[in-house]
Amino acid sequence: MSDILISRDELNFLLWDWLRLEDMFDGSGEGIDRVMAEEILDLSERLAAEAFLSHYKESDRQEPYMDADGAHALPAIGAALRRYAELGLFSASFSSDVGGMGLPGLLANASFAQFLAANVATAAYPMLTIANARLITTFGSAAQIETFALPQIAGRWFGTMCLSEPQAGSNLADIATRAVPDGSEELGARYRLTGHKMWISGGDHDLADNIVHLVLAKVPDAQGRPVPGTKGISLFIVPRALPDGDRNDIAIAGLNHKMGYRGTTNCLMNLGEGVHRPGGAAGAIGWMVGEPGQGLPQMFRMMNEARIGVGLGAAALGYRGYRLAVRYAQARVQGRPPGATDPAAPIIEHPDVKDMLLAAKCYAEGALALVLYCARLSDEAARGDEDAEALLGLLTPIAKTWASEWGLAANDIAIQVHGGYGYTRDFDVEQLWRDNRLNPIHEGTTGIQSLDFVGRKLLRDHGAALALLRARVADTCRRAQSSLPEQAVMLAAWWDRLSDAYDVLAAYGPEAAAVHATSVLRAFGHGVSGWLWLDRALLCIGTPDDPFRGGKLWASRYFMERELPRIDAWLRPVESGSDLLATLPSSFI
C-alpha cells in the first residue's frame, strides 16, 4: 500500500504563495488564521492516510451488496466516515450559524483533496452530503434546515442528489417522476412522489442513520398532466426515514456495478411503489424546497458544487498516480539512456519517460491548481465580488472537464511508466485509472459540459465573462515579459487565437455553435491551464535550481511548447466552418 497523497509542499505553494489563502481570513468572523489552517491540513493528511487510504484496496475488492434489508457497504467505510464526522470535517465549509467550522472554501477543498486522493469512493459520501446540506441551507425553510440539513452538517445523516431517470438520462426535461400534493405542515408543502431514479450515488447503504434525497420531480397541472419541459420541475426533500421514524416509500431496485468508485453504492431507486406505506398511502413523502418550478435552478447550485468536487477528485487521483509513477521511475533500473556509459540507470533518466512524467506533472498539478483557483473565486463571489462570480461561472465547466479528462491522462501515463506492473492489481495505478475513468461522465459528460460552456457561458453574455478572463491572462503575460518572455509571447498568441475563435463561434447560429462545442471547450481548457501554469511559474523565477520550484519552471515551458499547440487541432474545424459532424449520416458510422 502506497502512502503517497498530495504533497504538502504543493498545497503550501498553491494556498499561501499563489492563491493567498490568508486574504480569505479577513473579516470571516470565524477566528481562522494560518496556524489553525496548517493544523487542519496536518489533521486531514493524517486522517486520510490512516482511515481512508487504509481500506482503498479492500473497498475495491468487496463491493456493496443487496439483501432484503437494502444495500450494504464495507464496514471500514463507515468507520472512516465516523472519524471524519467526529473531527467536524463534514461541517468544515459551513458557517457557525449552522454548526459549521466556517473555513473558506479554498481551505476546505484543499483539506478534502487529501481524502479524495486517498480513497475517492469513500470520500464521495461526504462530497454529496455537503452539497446536499448546502442546497437546503441556501433554499430551504428554517424548519427544513433544522430537520434535514443540520444532521448532515454534523455527519450523522448523509445526502444524495436524484436527477437522472432510466428513460431521461441527461435530458432532465424528460423526467417522469410525479409529485402529487398531500397537504401542508411545519416542514412546508408535502407531496407524494412516484417514479424511478437511476445512477444515484449513495442512494442506499448502512453507513448512516438516515439518507436525505434531493429529488427532481414534476407536479401535475390541473388536468393531472405533467408540465412539459424544465419549467415544470420542482425540488423535493425525500428522506429515507421520516421525522416520525417511519420508513419512507422508497425501494432500491438494484445496484450498479461500476468499474471504479466501487466502495460507493450506486442505486436504481423506485419511489412510491407501495413497498413501504407511510400514513397508509402509496407514494414517497417529500417536502418542496422553495417555490414550484424552481427545481432545476436550485439543483444547479448543488450540481455546480459537485462539478467542482468531481474536478477536485479527478485532479487528486491524477496527482497521486503521477507521484507514484515518479517514485517507481526513480527506483526502476532498466536500460541505458542515449549516450550513457553506465550498465543500467533508473528509467527516469530515459527521454521518453521524462516526456511522459513531465506531461503527467502538467496535467495533475495543472488540474489541482485550476480547481483550487475556482475555489478561491467561489470565496470571492460569496463576498459579493461580481467579477469573481462571472469568472467562476465561465470556468466551472472547464474545471470539471479539463481536470477529469487530463487527470485521467496522468493516470494513463502512470500505468505506462510502470510497464507490465502497471496493469496488475498489486500496484495502485491500475485502480486509480479505473476510479478516475468515471469522472469524465460524473455530473455531466464532456459533451454536456461543452454545451453549457458554449451556449450558456460564452455566448449568452456576449463574451463579458470572457473579457474578464482575457484581462487576467493579459496581466500574467505582461508580468512575464521580462522574466519568461518566450512563454509570455506563446501564451498571448494562443489566447489571440482563442478570442478569434470566439468571434467565429458568435457568428454561427446556435446549432452550428453546438456542433463545435466540445472542440471549443477543450481548446479553452488548455488555454486556461497554460495561463495558470505561467502565472505560477512567475513565483519560481528566483529559485531555478530548487527541485520543487525549478520543476514548475520546466513544466510551464513544457506546457507552452508541447501542449498549447494542441489548440490548433481543436480550433481548425471551428475556424473553417467544418460541417463534417453536422452532415455525417449516422448510418455511415
Side-chain angles (χ1 to χ4, degrees), residues 84-415:
Y84 190 85
E86 288 167 1
L87 294 171
L89 292 175
F90 277 90
S91 73
S93 60
F94 290 91
S95 72
S96 57
D97 295 342
V98 290
M101 296 172 63
L103 303 187
L106 175 56
L107 177 56
N109 275 276
S111 161
F112 193 50
Q114 296 287 20
F115 298 95
L116 291 163
N119 194 323
V120 72
T122 296
Y125 294 99
M127 185 184 83
L128 289 164
T129 299
I130 291 164
N132 180 304
R134 182 128 34 234
L135 187 147
I136 295 174
T137 58
T138 303
F139 298 107
S141 67
Q144 290 172 346
I145 292 170
E146 181 177 0
T147 304
F148 299 112
L150 296 188
Q152 295 188 78
I153 294 170
R156 294 188 290 107
W157 294 1
F158 293 173
T160 75
M161 54 195 299
C162 301
L163 291 76
S164 298
E165 298 179 7
Q167 84 291 341
S170 298
N171 189 8
L172 296 176
D174 292 340
I175 66 170
T177 298
R178 294 163 57 93
V180 178
D182 189 45
S184 183
E185 55 194 23
E186 183 184 1
L187 288 170
R190 188 177 64 241
Y191 290 77
R192 296 271 179 170
L193 283 78
T194 56
H196 310 282
K197 293 293 181 178
M198 184 64 161
W199 308 117
I200 309 306
S201 294
D204 192 57
H205 50 70
D206 53 358
L207 303 174
D209 296 336
N210 201 359
I211 303 173
V212 179
H213 304 292
L214 286 173
V215 181
L216 291 181
K218 293 184 176 182
V219 179
D221 61 18
Q223 287 73 42
R225 299 169 302 191
V227 178
T230 60
K231 292 183 178 180
I233 299 175
S234 297
L235 182 65
F236 301 87
I237 298 171
V238 186
R240 181 177 66 180
L242 296 166
D244 63 5
D246 286 347
R247 176 69 183 257
N248 211 347
D249 193 2
I250 303 171
I252 305 304
L255 290 174
N256 300 303
H257 297 283
K258 301 184 293 184
M259 67 186 296
Y261 276 73
R262 289 182 176 177
T264 309
T265 61
N266 190 272
C267 305
L268 171 62
M269 294 170 45
N270 294 339
L271 306 174
E273 288 200 332
V275 176
H276 309 281
R277 287 179 173 268
I285 293 176
W287 292 269
M288 183 180 288
V289 180
E291 298 297 320
Q294 294 301 304
L296 210 52
Q298 292 168 343
M299 186 61 89
F300 265 113
R301 171 64 180 259
M302 183 176 184
M303 291 166 65
N304 283 335
E305 182 167 346
R307 284 197 284 180
I308 296 298
V310 168
L312 184 63
L317 291 169
Y319 186 94
R320 185 168 161 229
Y322 153 68
R323 289 193 69 197
L324 288 169
V326 169
R327 189 168 74 174
Y328 181 84
Q330 291 169 336
R332 174 64 167 167
V333 176
Q334 182 176 316
R336 287 194 301 272
T341 58
D342 295 335
I347 62 172
I348 199 169
E349 299 297 335
H350 292 264
D352 177 61
V353 177
K354 288 182 180 180
D355 185 13
M356 288 190 289
L357 290 175
L358 203 48
K361 179 182 181 71
C362 284
Y363 304 153
E365 293 182 7
L368 185 62
L370 171 58
V371 178
L372 290 181
Y373 182 81
C374 287
R376 161 83 191 213
L377 288 176
S378 182
D379 285 333
E380 294 173 351
R383 294 183 171 194
D385 188 327
E386 294 182 357
D387 287 354
E389 184 173 4
L391 280 171
L392 178 62
L394 180 67
L395 291 178
T396 292
I398 292 178
K400 188 274 172 185
T401 301
W402 199 89
S404 62
E405 291 202 334
W406 295 97
L408 177 65
N411 291 122
D412 189 81
I413 288 171
I415 292 176

